[in-house]
Amino acid sequence: PLSQAGVVKRAQSSLLAELVGALQLPAAIEFLIDGAGSNITARTWGYLKVPFDATVVSAALLADASGSIIVDVWKCTYDQCDAGATHPVVGDKITASTPPTLSSATKSLDTTLTGWTTSLDESDVLAFNVPSSATGINRVTLSLNLTRVVS
């Protein structure tokens, strides 16, 4: 009967929506910058390899004290990565003109990511750069909150 077919189709659609939702797994990439008791200085602080395909959905900064800092994020492929000789460098930035920033604060959360490149591929390499020395901050954690892309 037609009514039963409609019920079955809606049930299948609902199940499919639940499965798709289950495949959107939350995750995070976190990077700690520690000035060893002094204000964090301007430089590239390190690199991380992305372990899975993902989409950046927000960026949070948490500092040890109220102060000011900018943390820029650069991205290149694993094959391109040569510790900043040519990649990743400022031209590879994913944060556009809105990098994670604290301004006389201890925390920030950006959920809009205006202009960001939010797509990350497995094996991309991320670099974390402080373009100018921090004021009043000795330690800060950048958390890139993600949705894993499962195909």
Side-chain angles (χ1 to χ4, degrees):
L2 183 58
S3 62
Q4 286 180 338
V7 169
V8 170
K9 186 167 186 152
R10 278 193 296 275
Q12 288 172 338
S13 295
S14 177
L15 178 59
L16 182 59
E18 287 181 38
L19 288 173
V20 169
L23 295 178
Q24 296 178 349
L25 304 170
I29 291 175
E30 296 185 332
F31 193 82
L32 173 69
I33 299 173
D34 191 335
S38 298
N39 282 341
I40 294 169
T41 57
R43 67 181 179 96
T44 300
W45 283 83
Y47 308 91
L48 286 177
K49 186 174 100 29
V50 177
F52 43 75
D53 294 343
T55 301
V56 181
V57 295
S58 67
L61 282 176
L62 296 169
D64 65 333
S66 183
S68 300
I69 190 169
I70 297 169
V71 180
D72 216 342
V73 183
W74 304 337
K75 175 183 86 163
C76 68
T77 67
Y78 180 80
D79 289 340
Q80 290 174 321
C81 184
D82 57 12
T86 61
H87 294 286
V89 294
V90 70
D92 300 316
K93 73 186 298 182
I94 67 169
T95 56
S97 61
T98 58
T101 302
L102 292 177
S103 182
S104 299
T106 59
K107 62 184 178 183
S108 71
L109 176 64
D110 182 355
T111 58
T112 57
L113 307 175
T114 302
W116 281 46
T117 300
T118 58
S119 177
L120 301 177
D121 295 328
E122 181 178 359
S123 295
D124 279 345
V125 174
L126 301 179
F128 301 89
N129 181 269
V130 175
S132 57
S133 295
T135 304
I137 297 176
N138 299 335
R139 189 177 321 110
V140 69
T141 301
L142 170 63
S143 181
L144 297 177
N145 300 299
L146 313 170
T147 298
R148 288 183 65 168
V149 176
V150 180
S151 49

